[in-house]
Amino acid sequence: MAGETEIRELTVELGERSYPIRIGTGLLERAGSLFEECGFPKKSPILLVADESVVGLYAGKLERSLKDAGYSVATAVVPSGEQSKSLAQFNDLITEALEAGLDRRSTVVALGGGVVGDLAGFVAAAYMRGVRFVQVPTTILAHDSSVGGKVAVNHKLAKNIIGAFHQPEFVLYDLNTLKSLPPREIRSGFAEVVKHGLIWDAEFTSWCDRNSDKLLALDDEALGHALYEGCRVKSIVVSRDERENDLRAILNLGHTIGHALEAVGSYNQLLHGEAISIGMVGAARLAAKFGYGEELASETERLLRKFELPVRIPAGYDTDAIMSAMQHDKKFTEGAMVFVVPKRIGEVEIRGDVQAAWVRDIVEQLKGETG
Amino acid sequence: MAGETEIRELTVELGERSYPIRIGTGLLERAGSLFEECGFPKKSPILLVADESVVGLYAGKLERSLKDAGYSVATAVVPSGEQSKSLAQFNDLITEALEAGLDRRSTVVALGGGVVGDLAGFVAAAYMRGVRFVQVPTTILAHDSSVGGKVAVNHKLAKNIIGAFHQPEFVLYDLNTLKSLPPREIRSGFAEVVKHGLIWDAEFTSWCDRNSDKLLALDDEALGHALYEGCRVKSIVVSRDERENDLRAILNLGHTIGHALEAVGSYNQLLHGEAISIGMVGAARLAAKFGYGEELASETERLLRKFELPVRIPAGYDTDAIMSAMQHDKKFTEGAMVFVVPKRIGEVEIRGDVQAAWVRDIVEQLKGETG
């Protein structure tokens, strides 16, 4: 068993739906006792939904821990990739849940990245109108998606359009599971870490800048700190605005353009972090339109490049297709074009007066310039 | 325009999710002004989901009222029948919502019976993680399903297994829309009316007994009273237990056997009210096992027969298939067999100690006896 480092813990404050996030090493092995402590009934089967890329590595360990504690566990494996966030895959998991005999006191556990978390979370939200949910993220990116209770699947016309707010009972973040990530996934994950700095915390942004090498090398201490800080920013924002009435929208920095790029690439060309990396550069370029410093765009770009993230739209992406995908994005309320725009490092604002022509220009720029 | 009778109004008390139910004639024509009064924004399109059996009769009237008030309305038509409560139909409606440009401030309106209410309600619950919902029930049965916020679609292995709790903003019950119901639907609807008496209110049960002729003839005054009382019982129960932790389960009187019969009949043989009518007779027969009066079963049967409802399981229904369908029913917590059992007229209790063998015997009896 790997050596154990400090366990960091923070609470997402949501009244009676508050829940803890635990970050550290060796947590998979303790899952069973945690389920017991939380009073999950042993008669009610657990459905473990695992991403196929991690099932061989970690599902056995997690299952064993739960079974040793006296739980019955059915494991469902879902293919890696955004394509699994479909109603068809959702329906298959409902079938598995029924066949495993899950009842209203059962728990659905997500083992994997954001795709599995969103998908299994929507299963937990909708199965029998809602059962318990536990997140066991195995990617860096999932430090974002595993906090805040947003769960969803995609529709062919728009991402995350079918979903719910369904908070987990807790989040178990075992740093050991991150060691198996492919380098491209690691870099993609840091896009959301950087985002949390950019929207809320200039000091943390600067710390990321100074520690990019350690982070890319997955140094346990640096990684634990970065994930803790990322989750902390996310949880503060979510605590203040659970259902995205206002503040929570700042978490969408880079996501308006980013989601459109993912859609145009059929969700299989750009990773989520890569898409929002490009989107954050686009949003930073909008800042100048509102009189904020022009250096914001270059600073944002420099930081993202340190994490070896893309900052230009790949060749062959059609501008009209990108603009059209944005029209279906749910961040447009009442047809107005809404964007999260940086004011300075560590602070953003939500602007409802962004002209489509500006966005089109920036999309063209980001396509034309060589990255 | 038809003559207008008294408008009855009651409130479902759910804190900040409280909402009114209005029952009367001529309400369709006033929908637009109601939307305005409630502050629904005019820039956000409305999706009207209408059952094909009523679209020609009432959708135009409702649409006109909304459009006259300045709203844009897209109408989606869904085929009549339980088969429409599918993920496929749900997905089609999400497509319609996207194509009509619905945003987070939009409203989904259900015009039809319980099928459309459950289906459109789940669309409202899941679209962009939840938008406004308004129920315009056009069946008697829907007095039950339109109150309480339970929305769902079916899975091939179990009914209502995929859903949410999503309360409407209000319910508009226009008695004029009930005049077009086929006689079989009318009778089926009264099964839930009778149920609300049986579980909660001996006096109302006796009133139903005395007024069955008027009700079957759709007398406006009698109908208004019956729907008001039915909604009142339902809303009291729901107010005390929104998410079915305990009390709310009493609403399932007759539903455990009823749902199984619907499933075995592939949801196209027995109407919901017919199935629970048989189920209520089954539940009443269980009462004797717990020492409650044997006359409960005969009284229940007599009352349901007055409404010309079936009280026997149709020939050809397989006992094993019925028992197996009950195992998947979500009212079985942790594998125990749970039933709502009448104690006397107007009072029931939830029993967790019902033996499968008793249920099997009763199913056999209800098949064997001539109705």
Side-chain angles (χ1 to χ4, degrees):
Chain A
M1 200 177 297
E4 293 180 11
T5 54
E6 176 199 357
I7 292 180
R8 293 172 166 89
E9 176 162 342
L10 65 96
T11 300
V12 184
E13 300 288 354
L14 287 167
E16 58 178 23
R17 290 185 303 288
S18 296
Y19 59 91
I21 303 171
R22 288 188 177 80
I23 303 169
T25 53
L27 295 179
L28 282 185
E29 292 83 348
R30 298 187 221 166
S33 51
L34 257 163
F35 273 59
E36 278 186 309
E37 279 168 34
C38 292
F40 292 9
K42 298 197 174 169
K43 282 199 238 166
S44 299
I46 292 168
L47 181 68
L48 173 58
V49 181
D51 186 290
E52 65 173 356
S53 69
V54 298
V55 67
L57 296 164
Y58 312 118
K61 207 173 275 188
L62 183 53
E63 254 186 69
R64 199 170 322 120
S65 170
L66 293 168
K67 285 181 175 167
D68 285 351
Y71 292 95
S72 71
V73 184
T75 298
V77 182
V78 302
S80 299
E82 190 75 24
Q83 294 91 328
S84 282
K85 279 176 61 177
S86 67
L87 272 186
Q89 188 66 61
F90 166 81
N91 190 48
D92 287 350
L93 290 175
I94 297 285
T95 307
E96 302 244 20
L98 281 165
E99 287 176 347
L102 266 75
D103 60 40
R104 293 178 56 191
R105 299 184 190 180
S106 283
T107 305
V108 176
V109 180
L111 177 73
V115 165
V116 157
D118 283 5
L119 170 66
F122 189 51
V123 171
Y127 184 74
M128 295 185 173
R129 300 195 180 86
V131 296
R132 288 186 180 89
F133 179 42
V134 166
Q135 293 254 37
V136 186
T138 63
T139 69
I140 296 166
L141 200 63
H143 90 279
D144 177 57
S145 56
S146 66
V147 180
K150 273 191 178 183
V151 295
V153 296
N154 299 326
H155 180 276
K156 66 174 193 273
L157 297 176
K159 200 171 136 88
N160 292 327
I161 212 73
I162 299 168
F165 290 91
H166 193 67
Q167 302 296 342
E169 301 294 313
F170 53 82
V171 179
L172 273 193
Y173 222 133
D174 190 329
L175 297 177
N176 291 337
T177 65
L178 305 175
K179 308 298 161 63
S180 59
L181 281 172
R184 191 177 161 202
E185 294 276 356
I186 292 172
R187 298 191 294 267
S188 170
F190 286 121
E192 291 280 10
V193 173
V194 167
K195 184 201 77 179
H196 285 125
L198 289 175
I199 63 171
W200 198 260
D201 191 332
E203 197 179 315
F204 175 53
T205 308
S206 152
W207 181 92
C208 288
D209 197 0
R210 294 193 307 277
N211 290 276
S212 58
D213 289 345
K214 278 190 190 167
L215 287 171
L216 286 169
L218 299 184
D219 170 85
D220 265 345
E221 259 316 294
L223 195 55
H225 179 73
L227 293 177
Y228 178 87
E229 289 296 320
C231 289
R232 191 182 60 82
V233 170
K234 175 83 182 257
S235 72
I236 291 169
V237 173
V238 167
S239 297
R240 296 189 192 175
D241 177 25
E242 183 180 6
R243 295 186 72 93
E244 193 164 340
N245 294 312
D246 39 54
L247 181 70
R248 186 164 177 161
I250 70 171
L251 297 168
N252 291 322
L253 176 67
H255 281 59
T256 306
I257 293 174
H259 280 168
L261 295 176
E262 287 181 276
V264 171
S266 303
Y267 301 114
N268 61 16
Q269 294 179 18
L270 288 168
L271 297 178
H272 180 65
E274 293 171 343
I276 68 153
S277 172
I278 302 165
M280 287 191 282
V281 174
R285 289 189 183 195
L286 272 176
K289 297 282 185 188
F290 297 103
Y292 305 131
E294 301 223 355
E295 77 290 354
L296 265 173
S298 55
E299 263 299 289
T300 301
E301 200 172 310
R302 187 188 59 74
L303 181 58
L304 292 165
R305 281 185 196 275
K306 282 192 81 168
F307 286 91
E308 301 168 27
L309 284 159
V311 292
R312 293 293 178 272
I313 296 173
Y317 276 58
D318 181 61
T319 303
D320 285 338
I322 296 168
M323 295 304 293
S324 163
M326 274 190 262
Q327 308 304 320
H328 274 134
D329 194 279
K330 67 196 168 303
K331 279 171 286 299
F332 294 103
T333 299
E334 299 183 7
M337 219 160 172
V338 182
F339 259 82
V340 185
V341 178
K343 293 179 75 168
R344 61 184 67 82
I345 299 292
E347 190 180 353
V348 293
E349 65 179 8
I350 298 158
R351 305 282 318 201
D353 53 352
V354 170
Q355 294 178 29
W358 300 345
V359 180
R360 179 177 281 273
D361 283 352
I362 288 171
V363 166
E364 287 287 338
Q365 286 167 22
L366 291 174
K367 279 173 59 182
E369 296 166 19
T370 49
Chain B
M1 198 179 295
E4 293 179 10
T5 54
E6 178 199 356
I7 292 180
R8 293 171 165 88
E9 177 163 342
L10 66 99
T11 301
V12 184
E13 300 288 354
L14 288 166
E16 57 179 23
R17 290 186 302 286
S18 295
Y19 58 92
I21 302 170
R22 286 188 181 81
I23 303 168
T25 53
L27 296 178
L28 283 185
E29 292 83 349
R30 298 186 222 168
S33 52
L34 257 164
F35 274 58
E36 279 186 309
E37 279 168 34
C38 292
F40 292 9
K42 298 198 176 169
K43 282 199 237 165
S44 299
I46 292 168
L47 180 67
L48 173 58
V49 181
D51 186 290
E52 65 173 358
S53 69
V54 298
V55 67
L57 296 165
Y58 312 117
K61 208 172 275 187
L62 183 53
E63 252 187 70
R64 200 170 322 121
S65 170
L66 294 168
K67 285 181 175 167
D68 284 351
Y71 292 96
S72 71
V73 184
T75 298
V77 182
V78 302
S80 299
E82 191 75 24
Q83 295 90 329
S84 282
K85 279 178 61 178
S86 67
L87 272 187
Q89 188 66 59
F90 166 82
N91 190 49
D92 287 349
L93 290 175
I94 297 285
T95 307
E96 302 244 20
L98 281 165
E99 287 177 347
L102 265 74
D103 61 39
R104 291 178 55 191
R105 300 184 190 180
S106 283
T107 304
V108 176
V109 180
L111 177 71
V115 165
V116 157
D118 282 5
L119 170 66
F122 189 51
V123 170
Y127 184 73
M128 296 185 172
R129 299 193 182 85
V131 296
R132 288 186 181 89
F133 179 42
V134 166
Q135 294 255 36
V136 186
T138 63
T139 68
I140 296 166
L141 200 63
H143 89 279
D144 176 57
S145 56
S146 66
V147 179
K150 274 193 178 180
V151 295
V153 295
N154 299 325
H155 180 276
K156 66 174 192 273
L157 297 177
K159 199 170 137 89
N160 292 325
I161 211 75
I162 300 168
F165 290 91
H166 193 65
Q167 302 294 343
E169 302 293 313
F170 53 83
V171 179
L172 272 193
Y173 221 134
D174 190 329
L175 297 177
N176 290 336
T177 65
L178 305 175
K179 307 300 162 61
S180 59
L181 281 171
R184 191 175 162 205
E185 295 278 355
I186 292 172
R187 297 192 294 265
S188 170
F190 286 121
E192 290 281 10
V193 173
V194 167
K195 183 201 77 179
H196 286 125
L198 288 175
I199 63 171
W200 198 260
D201 192 330
E203 196 179 317
F204 175 52
T205 307
S206 150
W207 182 92
C208 288
D209 197 0
R210 292 192 309 276
N211 289 275
S212 59
D213 289 343
K214 278 190 189 170
L215 288 170
L216 287 169
L218 299 184
D219 170 85
D220 266 344
E221 261 314 296
L223 196 55
H225 179 73
L227 294 176
Y228 178 88
E229 289 297 319
C231 290
R232 190 183 62 81
V233 170
K234 175 84 182 256
S235 72
I236 291 169
V237 174
V238 166
S239 297
R240 296 190 190 173
D241 177 26
E242 184 179 5
R243 297 186 71 91
E244 193 164 338
N245 294 312
D246 39 55
L247 181 69
R248 187 165 176 160
I250 70 170
L251 297 168
N252 291 321
L253 176 68
H255 282 59
T256 306
I257 293 174
H259 280 168
L261 295 176
E262 286 182 276
V264 171
S266 305
Y267 300 116
N268 61 16
Q269 294 180 17
L270 287 168
L271 297 179
H272 179 63
E274 294 170 342
I276 67 154
S277 173
I278 302 166
M280 286 191 283
V281 174
R285 289 188 183 193
L286 273 175
K289 297 283 184 189
F290 297 103
Y292 304 132
E294 301 224 353
E295 78 290 354
L296 265 173
S298 55
E299 262 301 287
T300 301
E301 200 173 307
R302 188 188 59 74
L303 181 58
L304 292 164
R305 281 184 197 273
K306 280 193 82 170
F307 285 92
E308 300 168 26
L309 284 159
V311 292
R312 294 292 178 275
I313 296 174
Y317 277 56
D318 181 62
T319 303
D320 285 337
I322 295 167
M323 295 304 294
S324 163
M326 275 190 263
Q327 308 305 318
H328 275 131
D329 193 281
K330 65 195 169 308
K331 279 170 286 299
F332 294 103
T333 299
E334 298 182 7
M337 218 159 173
V338 182
F339 260 81
V340 186
V341 178
K343 292 179 74 169
R344 61 184 67 81
I345 299 292
E347 190 179 354
V348 293
E349 67 180 5
I350 298 160
R351 305 284 315 205
D353 52 353
V354 170
Q355 293 178 29
W358 301 344
V359 179
R360 179 178 280 272
D361 283 350
I362 288 170
V363 166
E364 287 286 340
Q365 287 168 20
L366 291 175
K367 278 171 60 182
E369 297 167 18
T370 49

